[in-house]
Amino acid sequence: MNKPIAMKVLLCILLLLSPISSALIGSVFAHNGSPARGAIWVATDPIKISMKDVLASVNQDEQWRLSQQTVNWLGQQNYQNPLLQKLELRAGSNDFSLTRQQYGIRVSPNAFGLGKYQKHYQQAQSGVLQAEAEVYWNEALLQRYEAIITYHFAQQLTLASQKLDSLFQAQEQVFRAMLRQGLSVKVKEVVENEQDQQALRLDQAQFAQAKSLAEEKIRQFIAGTGAVELELLDFISIPRIEQVIARIQANSLEIPLAEAKIRQAQMGLVQSEMDLLKVRNREYLSFFQFGYERAPKTPTLDDDLFMRLGLNIPLNSNNRFKNNELALEMYELNTKNTLTLSRRKQELDVQLNKVRHLIQEYQLLKEQEEKNLLLSILEDPALRAALTPTELMEIKLLLQKKQFARLKLSEELTQEYVQLLYLNGQLSQKPLLNYLSANLEPW
């Protein structure tokens, strides 16, 4: 038999004997450069990362890293003027007389202590940039907390919605069975079932989108390229959130806010500029000149050495415009700082009130579930046996809806809890803790 024909017959036999052979053949053709319709593709496992890894990636945030580079660059610059402002070499006639030639060196120094205040000004500029960098760091950390929360609850809500969806489908099957048996079915219940399923499908699409976006953010945070899986075994519970908030409120310290640090650094910069302006105005020594004058027409070589000293009398009124301009800037910064602190305190009070109301709402839902009479009916075998299939399904649906609503409330409460810690400055307070872990583990 011809060799190519034998090969084709063998391939056909393999194809008929085993479905896997088609995938093997496809992989062979794919290796030879031909399209492989049944080729076997090996899927890589997602990278498992912890919450600490995501939070620690804040030190690789691009905006914060670039701001740190700017601070480092500024620290390497030399802001200090030299001791000498001018160094002049003079040669020529003395005044209007061409018979006497003058040669000399004229030195004009800078104000004494100018270099020290210029260094202070540079440090003040660096302080402003450092305070801005701290704001970038805090915002980047908050983004990572929010991504973790979104990922976790999107996963939990997806699982809860699947349980609820299975109950809706089971209820629909009960309605179909009743119709086949000729039993009466309320149209209102059928319509509600259809509407609930449709609304749940939309929720599931939103959960999937939220998880996908959160996963993409986490992948960007850790600079990953493949699929990632976040390990959330130690995720904080609502009762633990209550304990953390109570402890923070009981041991609350005055944590300096990053925005307030920027205002204070800016005021320090203006004050440094005002000090620098005062020093520059204290240039009492105008110049020092050393030289000699030569008279060529005298019978002997006549060299006259001389020294001159120029003194400056500062007039502070010449800096009145700049002083007032800097004073106004200082006043405005002080006002903005006071306003920032006042508004932040208002935001904290509102946020704390919001979190407390959400905790009360969560506790109320939980108590209603635990004391629900329908749950007692389901746990009693005699009462459960007396229920019709429709009644039993309605009870299960109602209980599952309550759990689903409480899970949604848990997500909102956790987000607001992290926002409260951000406004209070607690997220960035050292030692750095993972406030989404049950044990508040350091990272």
Side-chain angles (χ1 to χ4, degrees):
M1 184 179 292
N2 196 358
K3 203 167 187 179
I5 297 176
M7 181 62 72
K8 291 181 180 179
V9 172
L10 179 60
L11 292 176
C12 292
I13 293 173
L14 291 174
L15 183 63
L16 294 173
L17 289 178
S18 175
I20 303 177
S21 61
S22 61
L24 295 175
I25 295 170
S27 63
V28 171
F29 282 112
H31 180 72
N32 293 331
S34 303
R37 295 186 58 187
I40 298 176
W41 300 99
V42 180
T44 58
D45 294 332
I47 301 174
K48 293 185 177 181
I49 58 175
S50 63
M51 289 187 286
K52 290 198 301 182
D53 296 332
V54 178
L55 296 178
S57 68
V58 68
N59 294 321
Q60 303 301 323
D61 181 73
E62 185 175 13
Q63 189 174 18
W64 177 78
R65 186 167 46 83
L66 292 175
S67 63
Q68 284 297 313
Q69 291 179 4
T70 305
V71 174
N72 295 335
W73 177 87
L74 180 62
Q76 296 172 359
Q77 306 309 306
N78 187 4
Y79 269 45
Q80 300 180 39
N81 288 346
L83 295 176
L84 300 181
Q85 186 181 41
K86 289 182 182 180
L87 179 61
E88 303 177 22
L89 299 177
R90 295 196 168 194
S93 62
N94 183 12
D95 297 329
F96 296 101
S97 175
L98 299 179
T99 60
R100 296 182 66 86
Q101 298 296 316
Q102 185 183 84
Y103 305 91
I105 298 176
R106 180 186 175 106
V107 176
S108 298
N110 279 308
F112 296 112
L114 181 62
K116 181 181 69 173
Y117 285 94
Q118 288 175 332
K119 186 65 176 178
H120 292 168
Y121 183 82
Q122 181 183 13
Q123 293 172 351
Q125 276 191 324
S126 179
V128 173
L129 294 177
Q130 190 66 48
E132 292 176 350
E134 184 177 346
V135 172
Y136 300 147
W137 193 89
N138 291 344
E139 291 175 350
L141 182 60
L142 178 62
Q143 291 174 1
R144 283 153 177 79
Y145 269 102
E146 290 175 344
I148 293 174
I149 295 172
T150 301
Y151 181 96
H152 170 71
F153 282 101
Q155 198 173 47
Q156 296 297 316
L157 287 168
T158 299
L159 296 175
S161 66
Q162 291 174 354
K163 294 180 181 179
L164 190 57
D165 187 43
S166 63
L167 290 176
F168 282 134
Q169 293 181 12
Q171 186 185 42
E172 183 181 356
Q173 294 300 324
V174 170
F175 290 154
R176 293 181 184 276
M178 292 175 64
L179 289 175
R180 286 194 298 267
Q181 296 175 9
L183 301 176
S184 62
V185 178
K186 294 181 180 180
V187 178
K188 179 181 178 181
E189 294 179 351
V190 176
V191 172
E192 289 178 352
N193 178 274
E194 182 68 23
Q195 291 176 344
D196 290 340
Q197 287 193 56
Q198 184 178 2
L200 190 61
R201 296 289 193 280
L202 294 175
D203 286 342
Q204 288 176 334
Q206 293 177 357
F207 300 152
Q209 182 182 10
K211 185 185 178 193
S212 177
L213 292 176
E215 185 177 343
E216 178 61 30
K217 288 182 179 180
I218 293 172
R219 186 184 298 111
Q220 292 177 2
F221 292 154
I222 64 172
T225 56
V228 296
E229 181 180 349
L230 194 58
E231 296 179 341
L232 299 164
L233 299 177
D234 193 33
F235 197 84
I236 193 168
S237 62
I238 302 302
R240 181 58 174 153
I241 288 178
E242 296 180 50
Q243 295 176 1
V244 173
I245 294 177
R247 190 188 70 179
I248 291 175
Q249 290 301 119
N251 303 323
S252 60
L253 300 175
E254 289 296 331
I255 301 174
L257 302 176
E259 292 81 357
K261 289 182 180 179
I262 291 181
R263 300 291 184 219
Q264 293 170 1
Q266 289 173 342
M267 287 190 290
L269 180 61
V270 174
Q271 185 62 51
S272 297
E273 190 172 357
M274 295 173 71
D275 295 339
L276 191 59
L277 186 63
K278 291 179 181 178
V279 173
R280 281 176 175 167
N281 198 44
R282 293 202 297 261
E283 294 180 354
Y284 301 112
L285 181 60
S286 179
F287 69 89
F288 172 78
Q289 187 175 1
F290 171 80
Y292 72 93
E293 290 181 345
R294 183 176 182 181
K297 292 184 178 182
T298 57
T300 60
L301 184 63
D302 184 14
D303 293 336
D304 294 329
L305 297 177
F306 68 89
M307 288 185 297
R308 292 193 179 102
L309 185 66
L311 298 177
N312 181 40
I313 300 177
L315 298 177
N316 294 327
S317 57
N318 288 330
N319 296 323
R320 187 177 299 160
F321 178 82
K322 187 63 178 178
N323 282 328
N324 289 336
E325 187 179 27
L326 292 174
L328 176 60
E329 187 175 356
M330 177 71 78
Y331 186 86
E332 290 179 341
L333 286 173
N334 193 18
T335 303
K336 289 179 180 178
N337 184 48
T338 304
L339 185 61
T340 299
L341 294 175
S342 176
R343 288 185 174 177
R344 179 54 64 91
K345 187 180 184 307
Q346 293 175 359
E347 290 178 4
L348 274 172
D349 293 340
V350 171
Q351 189 67 23
L352 180 60
N353 190 35
K354 184 187 298 185
V355 171
R356 285 174 176 170
H357 280 293
L358 288 173
I359 290 176
Q360 292 176 359
E361 186 177 349
Y362 178 87
Q363 291 174 345
L364 180 62
L365 289 179
K366 187 177 180 181
E367 291 176 2
Q368 288 178 350
E369 287 183 37
E370 294 173 350
K371 298 178 181 180
N372 198 325
L373 182 60
L374 297 177
L375 185 61
S376 302
I377 294 175
L378 287 180
E379 293 175 350
D380 191 331
L383 294 176
R384 180 168 180 168
L387 297 174
T388 64
T390 305
E391 292 172 341
L392 181 61
M393 190 58 60
E394 287 179 353
I395 292 176
K396 289 182 177 180
L397 273 172
L398 181 60
L399 294 176
Q400 187 63 32
K401 285 181 179 179
K402 288 182 176 294
Q403 294 180 6
F404 191 66
R406 185 158 57 91
L407 187 57
K408 283 186 174 182
L409 183 61
S410 299
E411 179 182 15
E412 182 182 0
L413 175 54
T414 307
Q415 291 281 10
E416 299 297 341
Y417 151 75
V418 169
Q419 185 67 24
L420 174 64
L421 299 183
Y422 169 74
L423 292 175
N424 192 35
Q426 197 72 35
L427 289 185
S428 56
Q429 186 73 4
K430 293 183 180 181
L432 295 172
L433 304 177
N434 178 12
Y435 287 96
L436 289 180
S437 63
N439 298 322
L440 302 184
E441 58 180 351
W443 57 273

